[in-house]
Amino acid sequence: MNQSNTQDNAKKDDAAMQVDLQTQQVIDLQMSMAHLEMTVERLDAVIARQDKDLQTLQRQLQLIYKQVDSQDTETGIAPFDVMADRPPHY
């Protein structure tokens, strides 16, 4: 009978350790998932800000193009020509 009780106790201990291990694994997975969710939220905020900045830069570039197109070449500002405006060391 003593051997039977010892075996039962060993089985209960093994089952308890298995449950503890599974519980710890679930907790670890939940922590990893929470960390990943925070990272995704931060990246989403960065992407949203960069998209806004990109749109602003595109509008500014369009305004610059309009200003350049609307300028008269007779006012002293000649259009930019890559070949004509090469530095002398080329």
Side-chain angles (χ1 to χ4, degrees), residues 65-76:
Y65 280 142
K66 286 180 185 178
Q67 284 179 342
V68 169
D69 285 343
S70 68
Q71 288 179 347
D72 245 352
T73 56
E74 295 175 9
T75 60

Side-chain angles (χ1 to χ4, degrees), residues 18-31:
Q18 186 70 17
V19 168
D20 288 344
L21 180 62
Q22 289 175 348
T23 302
Q24 187 59 43
Q25 289 174 338
V26 169
I27 290 171
D28 290 344
L29 286 173
Q30 289 173 335
M31 289 176 60

